[in-house]
mmCIF file with all atom_site columns, all heavy atoms in Angstrom:
data_model
loop_
_atom_site.group_PDB
_atom_site.id
_atom_site.type_symbol
_atom_site.label_atom_id
_atom_site.label_alt_id
_atom_site.label_comp_id
_atom_site.label_asym_id
_atom_site.label_entity_id
_atom_site.label_seq_id
_atom_site.pdbx_PDB_ins_code
_atom_site.Cartn_x
_atom_site.Cartn_y
_atom_site.Cartn_z
_atom_site.occupancy
_atom_site.B_iso_or_equiv
_atom_site.pdbx_formal_charge
_atom_site.auth_seq_id
_atom_site.auth_comp_id
_atom_site.auth_asym_id
_atom_site.auth_atom_id
_atom_site.pdbx_PDB_model_num
ATOM 1  N N   . GLY Q 1 214 ? -6.191  -19.947 2.049  1.00 0.00 ? 968 GLY Q N   1
ATOM 2  C CA  . GLY Q 1 214 ? -5.029  -19.777 1.164  1.00 0.00 ? 968 GLY Q CA  1
ATOM 3  C C   . GLY Q 1 214 ? -5.079  -18.437 0.452  1.00 0.00 ? 968 GLY Q C   1
ATOM 4  O O   . GLY Q 1 214 ? -4.064  -17.739 0.340  1.00 0.00 ? 968 GLY Q O   1
ATOM 5  N N   . PHE Q 1 215 ? -6.270  -18.068 -0.017 1.00 0.00 ? 969 PHE Q N   1
ATOM 6  C CA  . PHE Q 1 215 ? -6.430  -16.769 -0.677 1.00 0.00 ? 969 PHE Q CA  1
ATOM 7  C C   . PHE Q 1 215 ? -6.133  -15.637 0.304  1.00 0.00 ? 969 PHE Q C   1
ATOM 8  O O   . PHE Q 1 215 ? -5.441  -14.672 -0.028 1.00 0.00 ? 969 PHE Q O   1
ATOM 9  C CB  . PHE Q 1 215 ? -7.855  -16.622 -1.244 1.00 0.00 ? 969 PHE Q CB  1
ATOM 10 C CG  . PHE Q 1 215 ? -8.109  -15.280 -1.864 1.00 0.00 ? 969 PHE Q CG  1
ATOM 11 C CD1 . PHE Q 1 215 ? -7.682  -15.001 -3.150 1.00 0.00 ? 969 PHE Q CD1 1
ATOM 12 C CD2 . PHE Q 1 215 ? -8.765  -14.287 -1.148 1.00 0.00 ? 969 PHE Q CD2 1
ATOM 13 C CE1 . PHE Q 1 215 ? -7.899  -13.756 -3.726 1.00 0.00 ? 969 PHE Q CE1 1
ATOM 14 C CE2 . PHE Q 1 215 ? -8.981  -13.036 -1.713 1.00 0.00 ? 969 PHE Q CE2 1
ATOM 15 C CZ  . PHE Q 1 215 ? -8.550  -12.775 -3.009 1.00 0.00 ? 969 PHE Q CZ  1
ATOM 16 N N   . ALA Q 1 216 ? -6.651  -15.779 1.517  1.00 0.00 ? 970 ALA Q N   1
ATOM 17 C CA  . ALA Q 1 216 ? -6.410  -14.754 2.544  1.00 0.00 ? 970 ALA Q CA  1
ATOM 18 C C   . ALA Q 1 216 ? -4.908  -14.583 2.778  1.00 0.00 ? 970 ALA Q C   1
ATOM 19 O O   . ALA Q 1 216 ? -4.388  -13.469 2.857  1.00 0.00 ? 970 ALA Q O   1
ATOM 20 C CB  . ALA Q 1 216 ? -7.129  -15.126 3.840  1.00 0.00 ? 970 ALA Q CB  1
ATOM 21 N N   . LYS Q 1 217 ? -4.218  -15.706 2.876  1.00 0.00 ? 971 LYS Q N   1
ATOM 22 C CA  . LYS Q 1 217 ? -2.776  -15.689 3.131  1.00 0.00 ? 971 LYS Q CA  1
ATOM 23 C C   . LYS Q 1 217 ? -2.023  -14.957 2.037  1.00 0.00 ? 971 LYS Q C   1
ATOM 24 O O   . LYS Q 1 217 ? -1.135  -14.146 2.299  1.00 0.00 ? 971 LYS Q O   1
ATOM 25 C CB  . LYS Q 1 217 ? -2.278  -17.136 3.167  1.00 0.00 ? 971 LYS Q CB  1
ATOM 26 C CG  . LYS Q 1 217 ? -1.704  -17.563 4.503  1.00 0.00 ? 971 LYS Q CG  1
ATOM 27 C CD  . LYS Q 1 217 ? -1.204  -18.988 4.419  1.00 0.00 ? 971 LYS Q CD  1
ATOM 28 C CE  . LYS Q 1 217 ? -1.716  -19.749 5.629  1.00 0.00 ? 971 LYS Q CE  1
ATOM 29 N NZ  . LYS Q 1 217 ? -1.645  -21.193 5.487  1.00 0.00 ? 971 LYS Q NZ  1
ATOM 30 N N   . GLU Q 1 218 ? -2.382  -15.273 0.792  1.00 0.00 ? 972 GLU Q N   1
ATOM 31 C CA  . GLU Q 1 218 ? -1.591  -14.760 -0.336 1.00 0.00 ? 972 GLU Q CA  1
ATOM 32 C C   . GLU Q 1 218 ? -2.026  -13.375 -0.790 1.00 0.00 ? 972 GLU Q C   1
ATOM 33 O O   . GLU Q 1 218 ? -1.190  -12.573 -1.196 1.00 0.00 ? 972 GLU Q O   1
ATOM 34 C CB  . GLU Q 1 218 ? -1.730  -15.700 -1.535 1.00 0.00 ? 972 GLU Q CB  1
ATOM 35 C CG  . GLU Q 1 218 ? -1.061  -17.023 -1.329 1.00 0.00 ? 972 GLU Q CG  1
ATOM 36 C CD  . GLU Q 1 218 ? -1.574  -18.034 -2.335 1.00 0.00 ? 972 GLU Q CD  1
ATOM 37 O OE1 . GLU Q 1 218 ? -1.847  -17.641 -3.491 1.00 0.00 ? 972 GLU Q OE1 1
ATOM 38 O OE2 . GLU Q 1 218 ? -1.734  -19.207 -1.956 1.00 0.00 ? 972 GLU Q OE2 1
ATOM 39 N N   . ALA Q 1 219 ? -3.321  -13.112 -0.761 1.00 0.00 ? 973 ALA Q N   1
ATOM 40 C CA  . ALA Q 1 219 ? -3.808  -11.902 -1.442 1.00 0.00 ? 973 ALA Q CA  1
ATOM 41 C C   . ALA Q 1 219 ? -4.241  -10.790 -0.501 1.00 0.00 ? 973 ALA Q C   1
ATOM 42 O O   . ALA Q 1 219 ? -4.337  -9.639  -0.919 1.00 0.00 ? 973 ALA Q O   1
ATOM 43 C CB  . ALA Q 1 219 ? -4.954  -12.260 -2.380 1.00 0.00 ? 973 ALA Q CB  1
ATOM 44 N N   . ALA Q 1 220 ? -4.507  -11.117 0.768  1.00 0.00 ? 974 ALA Q N   1
ATOM 45 C CA  . ALA Q 1 220 ? -5.059  -10.083 1.651  1.00 0.00 ? 974 ALA Q CA  1
ATOM 46 C C   . ALA Q 1 220 ? -3.964  -9.188  2.213  1.00 0.00 ? 974 ALA Q C   1
ATOM 47 O O   . ALA Q 1 220 ? -2.879  -9.644  2.552  1.00 0.00 ? 974 ALA Q O   1
ATOM 48 C CB  . ALA Q 1 220 ? -5.820  -10.727 2.804  1.00 0.00 ? 974 ALA Q CB  1
ATOM 49 N N   . ASP Q 1 221 ? -4.263  -7.896  2.296  1.00 0.00 ? 975 ASP Q N   1
ATOM 50 C CA  . ASP Q 1 221 ? -3.415  -6.992  3.076  1.00 0.00 ? 975 ASP Q CA  1
ATOM 51 C C   . ASP Q 1 221 ? -3.785  -7.117  4.545  1.00 0.00 ? 975 ASP Q C   1
ATOM 52 O O   . ASP Q 1 221 ? -2.956  -6.935  5.425  1.00 0.00 ? 975 ASP Q O   1
ATOM 53 C CB  . ASP Q 1 221 ? -3.643  -5.542  2.638  1.00 0.00 ? 975 ASP Q CB  1
ATOM 54 C CG  . ASP Q 1 221 ? -3.206  -5.318  1.204  1.00 0.00 ? 975 ASP Q CG  1
ATOM 55 O OD1 . ASP Q 1 221 ? -2.029  -5.611  0.906  1.00 0.00 ? 975 ASP Q OD1 1
ATOM 56 O OD2 . ASP Q 1 221 ? -4.034  -4.896  0.387  1.00 0.00 ? 975 ASP Q OD2 1
ATOM 57 N N   . ARG Q 1 222 ? -5.052  -7.418  4.773  1.00 0.00 ? 976 ARG Q N   1
ATOM 58 C CA  . ARG Q 1 222 ? -5.531  -7.507  6.154  1.00 0.00 ? 976 ARG Q CA  1
ATOM 59 C C   . ARG Q 1 222 ? -6.620  -8.566  6.242  1.00 0.00 ? 976 ARG Q C   1
ATOM 60 O O   . ARG Q 1 222 ? -7.427  -8.708  5.332  1.00 0.00 ? 976 ARG Q O   1
ATOM 61 C CB  . ARG Q 1 222 ? -6.088  -6.143  6.586  1.00 0.00 ? 976 ARG Q CB  1
ATOM 62 C CG  . ARG Q 1 222 ? -6.485  -6.052  8.038  1.00 0.00 ? 976 ARG Q CG  1
ATOM 63 C CD  . ARG Q 1 222 ? -6.335  -4.619  8.532  1.00 0.00 ? 976 ARG Q CD  1
ATOM 64 N NE  . ARG Q 1 222 ? -6.869  -3.680  7.571  1.00 0.00 ? 976 ARG Q NE  1
ATOM 65 C CZ  . ARG Q 1 222 ? -8.056  -3.084  7.708  1.00 0.00 ? 976 ARG Q CZ  1
ATOM 66 N NH1 . ARG Q 1 222 ? -8.806  -3.305  8.758  1.00 0.00 ? 976 ARG Q NH1 1
ATOM 67 N NH2 . ARG Q 1 222 ? -8.490  -2.243  6.785  1.00 0.00 ? 976 ARG Q NH2 1
ATOM 68 N N   . VAL Q 1 223 ? -6.621  -9.278  7.344  1.00 0.00 ? 977 VAL Q N   1
ATOM 69 C CA  . VAL Q 1 223 ? -7.661  -10.269 7.617  1.00 0.00 ? 977 VAL Q CA  1
ATOM 70 C C   . VAL Q 1 223 ? -8.472  -9.780  8.813  1.00 0.00 ? 977 VAL Q C   1
ATOM 71 O O   . VAL Q 1 223 ? -7.916  -9.322  9.810  1.00 0.00 ? 977 VAL Q O   1
ATOM 72 C CB  . VAL Q 1 223 ? -7.044  -11.651 7.920  1.00 0.00 ? 977 VAL Q CB  1
ATOM 73 C CG1 . VAL Q 1 223 ? -8.106  -12.621 8.409  1.00 0.00 ? 977 VAL Q CG1 1
ATOM 74 C CG2 . VAL Q 1 223 ? -6.359  -12.208 6.684  1.00 0.00 ? 977 VAL Q CG2 1
ATOM 75 N N   . VAL Q 1 224 ? -9.795  -9.859  8.651  1.00 0.00 ? 978 VAL Q N   1
ATOM 76 C CA  . VAL Q 1 224 ? -10.704 -9.431  9.717  1.00 0.00 ? 978 VAL Q CA  1
ATOM 77 C C   . VAL Q 1 224 ? -11.499 -10.660 10.140 1.00 0.00 ? 978 VAL Q C   1
ATOM 78 O O   . VAL Q 1 224 ? -12.111 -11.316 9.299  1.00 0.00 ? 978 VAL Q O   1
ATOM 79 C CB  . VAL Q 1 224 ? -11.664 -8.345  9.172  1.00 0.00 ? 978 VAL Q CB  1
ATOM 80 C CG1 . VAL Q 1 224 ? -12.745 -8.015  10.195 1.00 0.00 ? 978 VAL Q CG1 1
ATOM 81 C CG2 . VAL Q 1 224 ? -10.893 -7.090  8.781  1.00 0.00 ? 978 VAL Q CG2 1
ATOM 82 N N   . PHE Q 1 225 ? -11.456 -10.978 11.412 1.00 0.00 ? 979 PHE Q N   1
ATOM 83 C CA  . PHE Q 1 225 ? -12.242 -12.119 11.887 1.00 0.00 ? 979 PHE Q CA  1
ATOM 84 C C   . PHE Q 1 225 ? -13.474 -11.604 12.611 1.00 0.00 ? 979 PHE Q C   1
ATOM 85 O O   . PHE Q 1 225 ? -13.386 -10.852 13.583 1.00 0.00 ? 979 PHE Q O   1
ATOM 86 C CB  . PHE Q 1 225 ? -11.407 -13.006 12.816 1.00 0.00 ? 979 PHE Q CB  1
ATOM 87 C CG  . PHE Q 1 225 ? -12.218 -14.133 13.405 1.00 0.00 ? 979 PHE Q CG  1
ATOM 88 C CD1 . PHE Q 1 225 ? -12.688 -15.165 12.599 1.00 0.00 ? 979 PHE Q CD1 1
ATOM 89 C CD2 . PHE Q 1 225 ? -12.536 -14.150 14.755 1.00 0.00 ? 979 PHE Q CD2 1
ATOM 90 C CE1 . PHE Q 1 225 ? -13.464 -16.196 13.126 1.00 0.00 ? 979 PHE Q CE1 1
ATOM 91 C CE2 . PHE Q 1 225 ? -13.310 -15.174 15.293 1.00 0.00 ? 979 PHE Q CE2 1
ATOM 92 C CZ  . PHE Q 1 225 ? -13.773 -16.198 14.482 1.00 0.00 ? 979 PHE Q CZ  1
#
Side-chain angles (χ1 to χ4, degrees):
F969 177 81
K971 243 182 227 163
E972 291 163 36
D975 295 304
R976 186 151 44 102
V977 171
V978 172
F979 176 68

